[in-house]
Amino acid sequence: MFEFAFVLIAAAAVLAWKGIRIVPQGEEWVVERLGKFNAVITPGLHIINPIFSKVTYKVTTKDIILDVPEQDVITKDNAVILANALAFIKVTNIERAVYGIEDFREAMRNMVQTNLRSIIGGMDLNEALTSRERIKTELKTAIADEASDWGLTVKSVEIQDIKPSANMQNAMEQQASAERERVAVVTRAEGDKQSLILNAEARLEAARKDAEAQKVAAEASAESIRLIAQAVQQNDTSATFLLGDRYIQALQRMSNANNSKIVVMPGDVVSAVKALVGGSSK
């Protein structure tokens, strides 16, 4: 009799021990009774029926960081870029998170990847590389409703990295190099063009100035001739003196020349000069 009572007491102690559950802070546990959802127990001490009830899921209530793997994404202009992200989610409805989806973490990763491909696929390369804030906002909006159906709240989504693929980077570098070379060629051609224009303008200006100088010289020569002619008409003495001086200088140069052997001079220089200007020798 004593042994039977001891067995009953021991069995009751074991059952009581198995029925005691201490939930740590930051977690909530799902209790099922006879295979059906019964309750969610929060942090603290709880006693459950160890025969008909059991803890089936232990869910964290802290913010969950989901690292979305890097993937190839094709943009609207058929460029291939690499993109990955971080999603910060929180379980706000334990029952939905446990029974609404088989693995909410994997589901959220796949949903972020799918929507990220869709959003970037609607952009061209330059837009995708410079629109992180827009992509982040659209991505969070796209996954928020679905996450809510699974008892999750999307706290934030961050674009961890977005960059062209290795082949695309190589193509972009070649394109940039070609563009720099094109700009250099255009700049050199423009410089040569401006140089030719400036040289032509300089030659034109020089020709214009030369023509003006010749015109001025011709006008001065004409005016000089006019004045000399007028002076000659009024008084041939000045003309006689000028021509005589020039005549004597010419004779001197002839006498100083190396090939000059004999210099013939008129006997009456004054009469000869007057004869040149049409004057009388008397």
Side-chain angles (χ1 to χ4, degrees):
M1 185 69 180
F2 176 77
E3 294 178 352
F4 179 72
F6 178 78
V7 171
L8 289 178
I9 293 172
V14 171
L15 291 175
W17 175 255
K18 288 187 175 181
I20 297 174
R21 291 291 186 268
I22 299 176
V23 181
Q25 188 68 37
E27 291 185 3
E28 292 184 3
W29 294 358
V30 175
V31 178
E32 291 182 352
R33 179 172 294 174
L34 299 176
K36 182 180 179 180
F37 173 76
N38 177 251
V40 175
I41 56 177
T42 58
L45 176 63
H46 297 271
I47 299 176
I48 63 173
N49 187 332
I51 299 176
F52 302 106
S53 301
K54 66 176 181 178
V55 175
T56 53
Y57 299 99
K58 297 179 180 180
V59 181
T60 180
T61 57
K62 295 180 287 187
D63 288 350
I64 301 172
I65 303 174
L66 292 179
D67 187 3
V68 180
E70 187 176 73
Q71 60 177 333
D72 293 342
V73 182
I74 301 177
T75 61
K76 184 169 61 177
D77 51 353
N78 294 323
V80 179
I81 63 177
L82 303 176
N84 60 348
L86 287 176
F88 299 86
I89 63 174
K90 184 179 181 66
V91 178
T92 52
N93 189 309
I94 302 295
E95 185 177 358
R96 287 186 181 181
V98 170
Y99 298 105
I101 188 72
E102 184 175 353
D103 186 344
F104 66 83
R105 286 182 174 83
E106 186 64 25
M108 286 298 298
R109 286 193 186 93
N110 290 332
M111 187 163 57
V112 170
Q113 284 186 311
T114 301
N115 284 277
L116 187 59
R117 285 196 299 267
S118 177
I119 293 170
I120 295 179
M123 302 178 176
D124 57 31
L125 177 61
N126 291 333
E127 187 179 8
L129 294 176
T130 57
S131 303
R132 288 197 177 204
E133 288 299 322
R134 174 186 165 189
I135 295 172
K136 182 176 72 173
T137 301
E138 292 186 7
L139 183 58
K140 181 179 178 181
T141 302
I143 66 176
D145 291 340
E146 195 69 30
S148 179
D149 291 341
W150 296 336
L152 307 173
T153 297
V154 180
K155 304 294 289 293
S156 177
V157 178
E158 298 294 334
I159 304 301
Q160 192 172 14
D161 197 10
I162 181 168
K163 61 185 179 181
S165 63
N167 292 335
M168 183 56 61
Q169 286 182 350
N170 187 31
M172 291 174 66
E173 290 174 359
Q174 292 179 356
Q175 181 180 3
S177 177
E179 180 63 19
R180 288 192 295 270
E181 181 64 25
R182 185 191 69 82
V183 171
V185 171
V186 171
T187 302
R188 287 195 297 269
E190 187 66 23
D192 293 342
K193 175 183 174 182
Q194 291 298 324
S195 177
L196 291 174
I197 291 174
L198 292 176
N199 288 335
E201 291 178 349
R203 290 195 301 272
L204 177 62
E205 185 65 20
R208 185 182 293 113
K209 295 296 184 181
D210 187 54
E212 291 177 355
Q214 291 179 4
K215 179 181 177 182
V216 171
E219 290 176 350
S221 178
E223 180 65 17
S224 176
I225 293 172
R226 185 186 67 79
L227 293 175
I228 292 173
Q230 184 178 0
V232 170
Q233 290 177 358
Q234 295 177 357
N235 182 8
D236 62 355
T237 303
S238 58
T240 301
F241 175 78
L242 178 62
L243 290 176
D245 182 66
R246 297 289 177 86
Y247 184 75
I248 293 172
Q249 291 178 6
L251 291 176
Q252 289 177 346
R253 287 195 296 272
M254 291 174 61
S255 63
N256 292 330
N258 294 329
N259 57 353
S260 298
K261 302 300 182 181
I262 299 175
V263 178
V264 179
M265 299 181 63
D268 190 350
V269 175
V270 175
S271 299
V273 171
K274 288 185 176 180
L276 290 175
V277 298
S280 175
S281 60
K282 295 180 181 180

